[in-house]
Amino acid sequence: MKLRNMILPSSCWRAQLLIVAAIASFATPISHVDAFSSNFRAASHTRWENDHSRLRNRIDLVLFQDLSGENSRYNRENLHDDEAIKVNRNEPQINESDIIRMLRANPHQCTNPIETASDVLHLMSQSCSPSAPSAAPVLSVEEIVNSASPNIAAAALRRLVSTPFIPLTFSTTKKFSQYLYKNQWSNPKNEVGEKESHLYGRLIHLLVRKLSIVVDGQLQALMGSTTNNYDQSSPPKLLPKKETWHHPPTPSKKNIVRLNWYALADLLSSLSVLCNIPHKNKSDRSSSPRNGYLQALMHVNEEATITSLFRDTIQYLAWDNKVTSSFIRCIGSRRLVRDLLHPLVIAATQQQQQQRMSKEMSRWNEIDFGDNVNDDNDKYDSLTSENNLHHLMAVASEYLGSPSSLAKVSAADLSITLWSLTQIYQPSQFHHQKLQTHRSFIKACMKRLRKRSVISPARGCDIALAIRSVERLLGVLGRDGDGYGDDESLLQPFQDILSLPLQLPGEEDMSNIPTVQTNTHTYETLPSPTNAQKDGLAVADDLSSDAVTMFHTLVNELSFQPGGNAQMKLRSLSLQQVADILQAAIALNVSRDDLQTATTEVLDYLTSVPLVLDQTYNCRDISRTLLSLQRLRVGTGIYNLDLEKSGVQRLGARFLEIVDTQSKGRTRGKCDPKTLTTVLRSGVLMFPRSDVAKSILDAASVLIRDDAIPVDVSDHEDVIFVDYGVNVQFLEQCNDYELSWILWTFAISRRFDKHVFIALTDQILENVSDDSFTASSASRVMWSTSVLLSLDEAGDQHDGRHIDLFHQLSPLLLSSHLSPTDLSCAMYAIAKTNYVFDRGVFDFLAEELASDESLEQANTRLISQAVWACGKMSEFEDPIMSSTESLTVSEEDAAPNQPPYLNSVYKMLSFLIGNKAHMTPKQVAETIWSAFGRLSISDQYYLEEISGIASRVAPQCNSREIANIVWGLSKVDYADDPQLICTLVRVITNSNLSKKCSSQEAANCIYALGRLGIRDQELFSALSSIIKNQIHDANSQTIANSLWGHDVVGLPAPPELLSVWARDTLGMDTYSAKYE
């Protein structure tokens, strides 16, 4: 107010404002100077440089005595060492504000930064008031620390746990440091002298002790001053500034020793680093840290004191709304993000780790040993700590959500704030309810991030973090709080993957109909996608639409190509950040059309910049990227097929390099079973039968064949625990779900590896014996086994292996309700492998699939596959019947017995007729082959309807499908429409299909024409020519069917047909002349 009154009414108002700003920069007390920020005032910087230069010149102050080897630890016993500082009374002292200003100064902006523990001790000594008026006194380190004010002690502790002493990565969680501190400055000097190391540890020990006493006193004073008006049940609320305290309440009026709000922020930030350092190094026991200060800090045996002080500080700041509001309003929005949110995240992370450890310990406490008397107290402390975190976060978000505060924060600060919410509020019923109070704040942050002036100066990693955080927050908000169970570890690990309906790219063009001669088919887990089906999150308000709008704005900023030599922000991202953006696009249900440009840029980035993959060592990032690309339908060519192949191939090659490095005993690249399953499944679905996925399958083979490898056993996203001393087999870590999907990927790729197949099936049999297999996994294993054994590479040596496997798995199919996919594919596997030992299981599956409930969820593909399986199994219902290759004409006329699943087949045919518009030529062919050809269903209604469908799809059929259709119709003597049969056969003879038609398919058509009495000499001649051109591939059944068809209709068979076959196949040189 005084400064404002000094401004005279004048036209030169700008000059007066500059003068006022200059005066305010020197008149501002230390509690209102954010010197730790990179934007501190130039005047403050000048004062710091002058004072620090004066300190540097006083080299005669430190008197170090020789240290003995016994002083290598800093415990309570060796607090009095021979270190001392000589204080010169003639030198002008530096006041407390200047000392704190210098301790808080950013080392990036200083020419002479504080970079040793001696510098910190020298600076602290300037606050000492010598009592002896004579010669300069000599003070010990302990006396200097005790004489310093609590505010100086808090600033000194923060400087000692910041750069250049401790790397910035320890100020937050491990995963977040990759976003924030990727290219930040750190201490280049790893070697620290013994004296310096000892002094550093000594200072940390003494400062923690001193501050612990001060905080305890302030907490006691706070309890005494608010006993009467403290309301524990009051909700978190930001109080007006006039109702807040300018300073924390003091313990007493006579002895004012306290930490101000800024010092409490320094202390909270320092303690979070100290709590984070021991945890990180205990989780990585492979090598000791190279940083000398970090090594010294690990020997400070004050873990209990640091943890207790950390909790007390948080409890003090979250005591009530008045204390929290006073603290938050004093430190401001910029320091609030840096000094409060990061410590809260570390506190929440430690609390979650303790909860997981308590769950693990509870498994061993089923027997009551009488030593659980503190369980109630532990639960109360845990609940109190969680409430304190929520209280601080709620008031902080209310303050940051105001327009005046949002205008002061950058995009980086907003991304950190949103990320902090994701770490504090993990998916659970309790956090789901608590996070509801932050909805308006989240919405305000998203709107702020849509401003061009805010995101333009932001880095790419800040934008990626904001997108990732919003997606996760909406994931927690969008879930029903009642849906959370007590034990979330029981949730299906692949629940996010299974929400995607599987349909192979180009599936409609794959000629893989499973007939008697065909050994291929595909397996899908859910029906084909519909227009109404959507993936991702569903938040029932406008929060979701705001998130999508923000996503488009930020992605456009990432993809924006600036002028000059500036780089696109997208090309500064790591693969982890790229995976986060793609995963958010899927979760937010962003249209693929809107992502056309962004996805193309990502694929080009992965292809053209080798460094992004060369710097990737985490298999999980590769798995998330591949999964997102697969959900965006990469592999269909909608972006650029060559670019899609190249991007996926490079990801697979890098995955193989990481896995191969792991197999050689190096543990930097870790791959757990869940990650491998995701990589395999995504890569194979994009390119099922291509060399693009070869590297991924090779990597899986390496992991499966390795006898002993270290396996990542952690499910936590920020901290990865790996026991480097224990090597286990990879497959032993896989559950039934993962084993079944791994086997499925090899089957869908048509890749048979003897060693991999034996290892997988052996492990599956072992898991089945442990009663840990589900019915769905059993169905998937049976289908995959049937496909792999049908490949030519498998041969006949493994034909009997499936019998024991199916015998163990088939009873599981009766234990639970299966989906139509599981029912259909289990039926296919049993029929394909001719497994007849448990035919009652097959009857049960057919009946279940034909139920109304299953048919409502099924599609034509699953039902036609099931009909084919019923037709294939019908040959085992009558001992006279056998396969088509060994049947004679007279035996084929024998009527089979009625199978028990015939009524189910009728219901399936009715379903197919009702959905005939969705039937493909492959499905029509296998239905006619099975229902009419094998089951001999001659009902006129089904014949007319299905033959009409065949007439519609005939132009799209291949030669094998035509042969199966006419063969099936001939078996029921379908003579109602001979023109239809001729039309179907002419699809082969009058097109390019004649060059692709095999001799067996042509013979089956001749057999069908003869059986129906259709005497078309043109068709017989054309089909005979096909057989003659492939006579070397013809077998006896082909020749017999062809001769029989000619004989029935009274047409002469070509003489060379039999003579050439007899000469080339049987070696009967004289048979030709004799026959003529």
Side-chain angles (χ1 to χ4, degrees):
M1 295 296 294
K2 293 181 180 179
L3 292 175
R4 187 179 64 181
N5 295 333
M6 290 172 58
I7 300 178
L8 301 176
S10 173
S11 60
C12 190
W13 58 272
R14 294 185 178 179
Q16 297 183 38
L17 287 179
L18 290 176
I19 295 173
V20 171
I23 297 174
S25 66
F26 286 96
T28 303
I30 186 62
S31 59
H32 296 281
V33 176
D34 190 6
F36 194 74
S37 173
S38 60
N39 298 322
F40 61 89
R41 299 179 180 86
S44 304
H45 176 68
T46 303
R47 292 176 63 184
W48 144 242
E49 292 293 343
N50 295 335
D51 293 336
H52 191 65
S53 298
R54 187 171 67 250
L55 256 180
R56 286 283 187 177
N57 294 330
R58 297 171 59 191
I59 59 175
D60 58 312
L61 296 183
V62 183
L63 302 177
F64 281 107
Q65 304 296 332
D66 292 336
L67 299 176
S68 61
E70 299 176 354
N71 295 327
S72 59
R73 297 292 183 270
Y74 334 107
N75 299 327
R76 302 178 182 179
E77 293 79 7
N78 54 359
L79 296 181
H80 302 283
D81 289 339
D82 295 330
E83 302 172 1
I85 285 187
K86 182 179 180 181
V87 179
N88 191 346
R89 297 181 66 253
N90 298 326
E91 192 73 25
Q93 290 187 341
I94 307 174
N95 59 34
E96 177 180 328
S97 298
D98 290 339
I99 293 175
I100 296 177
R101 191 188 304 274
M102 287 184 281
L103 288 172
R104 287 177 178 169
N106 193 332
H108 300 269
Q109 304 292 335
C110 301
T111 57
N112 295 314
I114 297 177
E115 53 187 10
T116 64
S118 303
D119 293 341
V120 176
L121 187 62
H122 295 165
L123 201 55
M124 292 178 62
S125 68
Q126 300 308 300
S127 64
C128 299
S129 299
S131 56
S134 57
V138 178
L139 299 179
S140 65
V141 176
E142 184 178 8
E143 292 173 339
I144 293 174
V145 173
N146 290 336
S147 301
S149 68
N151 296 330
I152 293 178
L157 182 62
R158 178 163 188 172
R159 169 52 54 208
L160 290 173
V161 297
S162 304
T163 55
F165 299 97
I166 302 299
L168 287 173
T169 54
F170 288 96
S171 63
T172 183
T173 58
K174 179 180 179 181
K175 193 170 184 180
F176 180 73
S177 63
Q178 300 177 13
Y179 279 90
L180 191 61
Y181 303 129
K182 182 179 179 181
N183 298 317
Q184 294 292 326
W185 176 78
S186 59
N187 182 23
K189 299 179 181 179
N190 293 323
E191 298 294 334
V192 178
E194 184 179 1
K195 294 181 180 180
E196 174 69 14
S197 176
H198 182 84
L199 178 61
Y200 178 81
R202 180 78 176 278
L203 279 175
I204 294 291
H205 170 84
L206 294 174
L207 289 172
V208 169
R209 288 279 178 169
K210 175 184 178 66
L211 294 171
S212 178
I213 297 174
V214 174
V215 170
D216 184 67
Q218 288 192 217
L219 189 58
Q220 296 297 328
L222 186 63
M223 295 173 62
S225 63
T226 59
T227 302
N228 297 329
N229 57 5
Y230 173 59
D231 185 9
Q232 187 176 3
S233 61
S234 59
K237 180 182 178 182
L238 179 67
L239 299 180
K241 188 174 182 179
K242 61 182 180 180
E243 299 181 16
T244 60
W245 284 319
H246 295 288
H247 301 283
T250 57
S252 63
K253 294 183 179 181
K254 297 181 180 179
N255 184 21
I256 304 178
V257 179
R258 66 184 177 189
L259 291 163
N260 59 26
W261 299 122
Y262 288 95
L264 285 169
D266 289 337
L267 177 60
L268 191 64
S269 177
S270 305
L271 292 174
S272 65
V273 176
L274 293 174
C275 289
N276 204 27
I277 286 176
H279 173 73
K280 287 197 171 185
N281 283 278
K282 287 179 181 178
S283 65
D284 187 2
R285 300 188 294 270
S286 59
S287 61
S288 60
R290 293 177 296 176
N291 187 297
Y293 291 109
L294 191 56
Q295 293 179 3
L297 196 57
M298 292 175 61
H299 293 104
V300 179
N301 298 330
E302 294 291 344
E303 292 186 16
T305 304
I306 293 173
T307 303
S308 177
L309 180 57
F310 192 32
R311 292 180 179 178
D312 290 345
T313 306
I314 293 178
Q315 183 181 2
Y316 180 85
L317 296 176
W319 186 259
D320 59 11
N321 289 330
K322 188 171 186 179
V323 174
T324 306
S325 301
S326 302
F327 170 73
I328 289 176
R329 287 191 177 277
C330 181
I331 65 175
S333 55
R334 295 297 302 275
R335 287 199 65 176
L336 180 64
V337 175
R338 183 180 63 248
D339 297 342
L340 178 62
L341 298 187
H342 276 298
L344 291 183
V345 169
I346 292 177
T349 302
Q350 291 182 344
Q351 184 176 356
Q352 293 160 11
Q353 293 169 0
Q354 292 176 357
Q355 292 176 355
R356 287 196 300 270
M357 292 177 62
S358 63
K359 288 182 179 180
E360 292 293 333
M361 293 298 297
S362 64
R363 300 177 182 177
W364 298 93
N365 293 335
E366 295 180 0
I367 303 177
D368 187 9
F369 293 100
D371 56 354
N372 298 326
V373 294
N374 295 324
D375 288 350
D376 295 337
N377 295 332
D378 294 339
K379 293 179 181 178
Y380 175 78
D381 294 339
S382 176
L383 182 60
T384 303
S385 301
E386 196 164 3
N387 289 333
N388 290 336
L389 295 178
H390 170 67
H391 181 90
L392 285 171
M393 197 67 211
V395 180
S397 64
E398 185 178 355
Y399 175 76
L400 290 173
S402 62
S404 58
S405 298
L406 283 176
K408 299 177 183 178
V409 296
S410 61
D413 296 329
L414 291 172
S415 64
I416 293 173
T417 304
L418 293 171
W419 169 81
S420 301
L421 287 173
T422 65
Q423 300 302 301
I424 295 175
Y425 299 100
Q426 295 289 334
S428 66
Q429 183 176 359
F430 176 79
H431 289 165
H432 170 80
Q433 298 172 354
K434 294 293 186 181
L435 190 58
Q436 297 293 334
T437 59
H438 298 276
R439 298 176 72 93
S440 58
F441 171 66
I442 296 172
K443 186 173 183 178
C445 290
M446 289 192 296
K447 288 186 176 181
R448 177 70 177 170
L449 286 170
R450 288 156 50 183
K451 293 183 177 295
R452 176 69 182 176
S453 59
V454 176
I455 63 175
S456 180
R459 301 176 299 171
C461 59
D462 298 325
I463 296 176
L465 180 62
I467 294 175
R468 168 180 178 264
S469 302
V470 168
E471 175 261 318
R472 296 202 174 189
L473 288 173
L474 264 64
V476 179
L477 288 172
R479 297 182 181 179
D480 185 7
D482 298 334
Y484 293 100
D486 296 333
D487 187 5
E488 293 193 25
S489 63
L490 298 178
L491 294 177
Q492 181 61 261
F494 278 86
Q495 56 184 351
D496 295 334
I497 297 179
L498 286 180
S499 62
L500 177 69
L502 299 183
Q503 185 174 9
L504 295 178
E507 179 181 62
E508 61 278 359
D509 298 329
M510 297 173 62
S511 57
N512 52 0
I513 171 174
T515 64
V516 176
Q517 300 86 12
T518 308
N519 298 328
T520 59
H521 198 272
T522 55
Y523 183 102
E524 65 178 355
T525 59
L526 286 178
S528 301
T530 60
N531 295 330
Q533 188 172 11
K534 294 184 178 181
D535 304 324
L537 306 171
V539 183
D541 56 12
D542 57 346
L543 206 60
S544 179
S545 60
D546 287 341
V548 174
T549 305
M550 183 208 70
F551 177 86
H552 286 301
T553 304
L554 297 183
V555 169
N556 290 337
E557 177 66 23
L558 288 174
S559 305
F560 175 73
Q561 181 63 54
N565 297 326
Q567 186 184 34
M568 183 188 299
K569 292 182 180 180
L570 176 64
R571 295 182 176 266
S572 65
L573 301 180
S574 65
L575 185 65
Q576 179 187 16
Q577 294 156 356
V578 171
D580 288 336
I581 295 174
L582 295 176
Q583 182 176 330
I586 300 300
L588 295 174
N589 195 31
V590 180
S591 172
R592 288 195 295 271
D593 295 336
D594 297 335
L595 291 172
Q596 184 83 23
T597 303
T599 306
T600 305
E601 289 292 343
V602 167
L603 291 171
D604 182 67
Y605 176 43
L606 297 178
T607 304
S608 60
V609 183
L611 189 63
V612 64
L613 290 177
D614 293 341
Q615 293 181 346
T616 299
Y617 301 96
N618 194 338
C619 294
R620 295 183 181 181
D621 296 335
I622 297 178
S623 69
R624 293 192 301 124
T625 304
L626 287 172
L627 175 61
S628 300
L629 292 176
Q630 185 262 321
R631 291 194 170 191
L632 291 172
R633 293 299 185 261
V634 169
T636 59
I638 60 177
Y639 305 102
N640 184 322
L641 188 57
D642 293 335
L643 194 62
E644 295 171 15
K645 289 182 178 180
S646 179
V648 175
Q649 196 165 16
R650 293 212 64 233
L651 287 168
R654 181 54 185 165
F655 180 69
L656 176 60
E657 292 177 2
I658 297 175
V659 168
D660 191 51
T661 301
Q662 175 184 347
S663 67
K664 294 178 181 178
R666 303 172 186 175
T667 55
R668 189 175 185 182
K670 297 173 287 293
C671 182
D672 56 90
K674 180 178 178 180
T675 301
L676 174 64
T677 307
T678 307
V679 172
L680 278 172
R681 187 177 180 276
S682 303
V684 168
L685 281 175
M686 286 185 284
F687 299 97
R689 302 184 192 178
S690 172
D691 292 337
V692 176
K694 182 178 181 299
S695 298
I696 298 176
L697 294 169
D698 291 340
S701 300
V702 170
L703 288 173
I704 293 172
R705 289 181 178 183
D706 260 326
D707 292 333
I709 57 174
V711 179
D712 179 6
V713 296
S714 171
D715 290 333
H716 194 258
E717 62 178 3
D718 285 326
V719 181
I720 299 177
F721 296 94
V722 181
D723 195 340
Y724 295 99
V726 178
N727 291 330
V728 296
Q729 287 188 354
F730 182 86
L731 291 181
E732 291 181 1
Q733 301 297 320
C734 300
N735 56 31
D736 65 302
Y737 197 84
E738 294 156 351
L739 288 171
S740 63
W741 276 113
I742 293 174
L743 188 65
W744 178 87
T745 55
F746 280 90
I748 206 71
S749 302
R750 304 303 186 264
R751 172 165 168 168
F752 182 82
D753 187 314
K754 173 183 176 182
H755 301 285
V756 171
F757 179 73
I758 293 176
L760 285 171
T761 51
D762 286 345
Q763 188 63 46
I764 289 171
L765 286 172
E766 183 176 346
N767 286 18
V768 171
S769 62
D770 296 337
D771 297 332
S772 60
F773 234 80
T774 63
S776 179
S777 298
S779 172
R780 194 176 302 113
V781 168
M782 294 173 68
W783 179 89
S784 304
T785 302
S786 65
V787 171
L788 288 173
L789 292 180
S790 65
L791 300 177
D792 295 336
E793 295 84 351
D796 299 332
Q797 54 183 335
H798 301 289
D799 283 348
R801 189 174 186 83
H802 73 281
I803 297 178
D804 186 26
L805 185 63
F806 281 24
H807 183 69
Q808 298 290 334
L809 294 175
S810 57
L812 300 177
L813 303 176
L814 308 174
S815 59
S816 61
H817 181 71
L818 294 174
S819 66
T821 300
D822 296 328
L823 293 169
S824 176
C825 292
M827 293 173 62
Y828 172 85
I830 293 174
K832 186 66 180 176
T833 57
N834 299 331
Y835 180 73
V836 296
F837 296 98
D838 294 316
R839 280 185 285 179
V841 174
F842 186 88
D843 300 340
F844 170 80
L845 296 175
E847 184 179 357
E848 284 292 310
L849 184 58
S851 63
D852 295 337
E853 181 180 359
S854 297
L855 291 177
E856 289 177 359
Q857 304 173 10
N859 57 22
T860 56
R861 183 182 181 190
L862 297 176
I863 300 303
S864 62
Q865 178 179 255
V867 172
W868 177 90
C870 292
K872 184 70 168 61
M873 289 295 291
S874 64
E875 66 179 275
F876 304 106
E877 302 299 333
D878 194 323
I880 299 179
M881 298 188 64
S882 59
S883 62
T884 304
E885 290 78 6
S886 60
L887 279 177
T888 63
V889 177
S890 59
E891 290 173 340
E892 284 187 311
D893 295 332
N897 294 332
Q898 291 286 338
Y901 42 79
L902 187 60
N903 291 331
S904 299
V905 173
Y906 280 114
K907 296 186 65 175
M908 296 179 192
L909 292 178
S910 299
F911 173 86
L912 293 175
I913 294 173
N915 296 273
K916 57 184 177 182
H918 303 288
M919 292 189 69
T920 63
K922 176 189 64 176
Q923 298 166 6
V924 175
E926 64 185 359
T927 300
I928 294 177
W929 180 90
S930 305
F932 304 149
R934 300 308 299 266
L935 294 173
S936 301
I937 296 177
S938 57
D939 188 280
Q940 193 65 24
Y941 168 75
Y942 294 111
L943 280 172
E944 292 178 357
E945 291 291 338
I946 297 180
S947 62
I949 301 174
S951 176
R952 177 180 60 84
V953 301
Q956 292 83 37
C957 292
N958 56 34
S959 58
R960 176 165 295 178
E961 293 163 352
I962 294 294
N964 286 329
I965 290 175
V966 297
W967 181 87
L969 292 174
S970 69
K971 292 302 295 292
V972 291
D973 298 329
Y974 180 74
D976 296 341
D977 190 0
Q979 189 62 33
L980 172 62
I981 304 299
C982 295
T983 302
L984 290 171
V985 177
R986 286 192 177 94
V987 173
I988 298 178
T989 60
N990 296 341
S991 64
N992 293 329
L993 290 180
S994 59
K995 299 179 181 179
K996 302 178 182 179
C997 182
S998 66
S999 59
Q1000 183 179 3
E1001 294 163 358
N1004 286 344
C1005 291
I1006 293 177
Y1007 168 84
L1009 292 174
R1011 186 180 179 91
L1012 295 176
I1014 301 175
R1015 192 176 187 274
D1016 191 319
Q1017 188 171 0
E1018 180 183 355
L1019 291 179
F1020 273 84
S1021 177
L1023 294 172
S1024 298
S1025 299
I1026 295 175
I1027 299 175
K1028 288 187 293 184
N1029 294 334
Q1030 304 181 33
I1031 194 65
H1032 302 289
D1033 299 328
N1035 55 24
S1036 59
Q1037 186 70 42
T1038 299
I1039 301 299
N1041 286 342
S1042 177
L1043 296 177
W1044 182 88
H1046 282 82
D1047 184 66
V1048 169
V1049 297
L1051 290 175
E1056 62 273 15
L1057 187 64
L1058 183 59
S1059 60
V1060 173
W1061 176 79
R1063 183 182 66 245
D1064 295 345
T1065 305
L1066 303 179
M1068 301 173 61
D1069 296 335
T1070 61
Y1071 186 80
S1072 176
K1074 182 179 180 180
Y1075 178 79
E1076 294 176 357

